[in-house]
């Protein structure tokens, strides 16, 4: 029964985002006077629908996207024109100026970007989460080996009592002072085993990069983000955590005797331990249990491979704020920009082989994440929907036939050539691209299934 609910949640979310995407194409096409023959949610064979005016509104069999079929254009499923060649009628897509066709192509991704912006604006305006650890005492959760903090004598459990000119700072103040004093030594004081010690730390940032919390981590200051243990939200199938017997709802109390309170600290501990087998002390339904797990190096979006166990975790405690409209808009733009840069880094990683294709998430994995977010509440769900919408918009701008980016690429080539690309050639390219997309979709789905946690 739960599986049916997951399928329904996935269908509603993906259907909504595809509808918005295709609606963008549809509305701009109508504004440009283009006749729309088909408006389809899904690809392939028509399941059901209705006809209104010139347009067949339909649901198709393959729920991996959708398309709008314009008069005089190749079929959205990559098929040829089905015996209906372009007639040169003024309401056909090919009769419109290329700049209008570019606008029509761009309208779909732009619609997804607007959805992502609006959703994150709503989240920021009504439910902006601020991690509680940022405003509490600056307690260090873990100090990685070989870092400046380790050289200064700071260890896990120490409390920063002075950072530059701020006494008894919280982590938010430490971030602010670091941003104002980049590449300069900052005097610090901290309590260690009840004694006060002093030293200096220098936070450096690579050229042309923006300062962030990761730069604090690079010097070895890893905040204690949660007063309690790490809470396991879900376990990835066939992962080290899965093989060790870790389950959703478990609490990771210690690893090799170390108390860690955040996954960032855990990842750095695993790195320092160089992938050796670890002893996990957990609480399951209030009962203590010891497991043994050997982490594996896994692809990390936008970064080098990291040793991981393979589970998702419940975020640390947070306070809720309602940002004013202006600040909420700025926060939404910032979050979308960061999300876009991460997606672009992942795409770059795929082409440079720094990110494995089998690490990508397809419909099955997406459905799992939607189900988890739904159980957590409306705000995590809206966050996830915005991320999926952003992914959908950027993916469709890739210069691949059948995607919007492919159409734009053809239009650019035609503008340079000052004539249209041969229609028969387009038909062959689109059919080959359609087969490639279907094969890729089946590969991603199969990969998703192999990673399912079936316990």
């Amino acid at each position: 029964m739960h599986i049916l609910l997951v399928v329904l949640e996935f269908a509603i979310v993906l259907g909504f985002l595809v509808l918005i995407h295709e609606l963008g194409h549809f509305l701009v096409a109508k504004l440009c006077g283009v006749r729309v023959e088909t408006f389809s949610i899904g690809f392939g064979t028509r399941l059901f629908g209705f006809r209104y005016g010139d347009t067949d509104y339909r649901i198709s069999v393959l729920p991996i996207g959708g398309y709008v079929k314009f008069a005089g254009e190749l079929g959205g499923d990559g098929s040829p024109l089905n015996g209906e060649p372009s007639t040169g009628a003024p309401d056909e897509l090919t009769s419109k100026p290329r700049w209008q066709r570019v606008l029509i192509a761009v309208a779909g991704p732009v619609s997804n970007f607007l959805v992502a912006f609006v959703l994150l604006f709503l989240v920021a305006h009504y439910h902006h989460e601020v991690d509680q650890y940022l405003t509490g005492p600056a307690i260090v959760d873990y100090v990685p080996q070989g870092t400046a903090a380790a050289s200064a004598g700071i260890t896990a459990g120490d409390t920063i009592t002075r950072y530059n000119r701020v006494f008894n700072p919280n982590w938010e103040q430490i971030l602010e002072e670091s941003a104002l004093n980049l590449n300069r030594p900052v005097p610090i004081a901290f309590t260690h085993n009840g004694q006060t010690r002093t030293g200096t730390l220098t936070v450096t940032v690579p050229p042309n990069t923006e300062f962030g919390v990761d730069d604090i981590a690079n010097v070895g200051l890893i905040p204690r983000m949660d007063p309690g243990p790490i809470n396991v939200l879900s376990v990835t199938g066939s992962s080290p955590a899965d093989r060790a017997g870790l389950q959703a709802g478990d609490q990771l109390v210690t690893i090799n005797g170390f108390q860690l309170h955040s996954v960032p600290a855990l990842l750095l501990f695993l790195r320092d331990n160089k992938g050796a087998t670890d002893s996990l002390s957990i609480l399951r339904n209030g009962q203590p249990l010891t497991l043994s797990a050997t982490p594996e190096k896994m692809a990390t979006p936008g970064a080098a491979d990291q040793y991981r166990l393979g589970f998702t975790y419940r975020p640390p405690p947070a306070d809720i704020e309602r940002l004013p409209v202006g600040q909420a808009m700025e926060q939404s733009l910032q979050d979308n920009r960061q999300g876009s840069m991460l997606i672009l880094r992942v795409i770059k990683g795929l082409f440079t082989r720094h990110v494995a294709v089998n690490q990508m998430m397809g419909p099955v994995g997406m459905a799992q994440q939607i189900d988890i977010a739904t159980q957590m509440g409306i705000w995590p769900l809206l966050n996830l929907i915005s991320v999926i919408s952003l992914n959908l918009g950027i993916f469709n701008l890739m210069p691949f036939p059948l995607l919007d980016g492919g159409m734009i690429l053809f239009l650019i080539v035609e503008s340079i050539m000052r004539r249209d690309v041969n229609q028969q050639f387009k038909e062959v390219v689109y059919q080959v691209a359609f087969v490639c997309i279907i094969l890729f979709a089946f590969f991603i789905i199969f990969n998703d299934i192999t990673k399912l946690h079936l316990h």
Side-chain angles (χ1 to χ4, degrees), residues 261-273:
H261 305 80
S262 70
V263 167
L266 173 63
L267 293 176
L268 291 167
F269 177 89
L270 296 178
R271 185 192 69 182
D272 287 346
N273 212 27

Side-chain angles (χ1 to χ4, degrees), residues 144-160:
Q145 299 171 9
T147 58
S151 300
I154 302 174
T155 61
D158 291 352
T159 300
I160 309 293

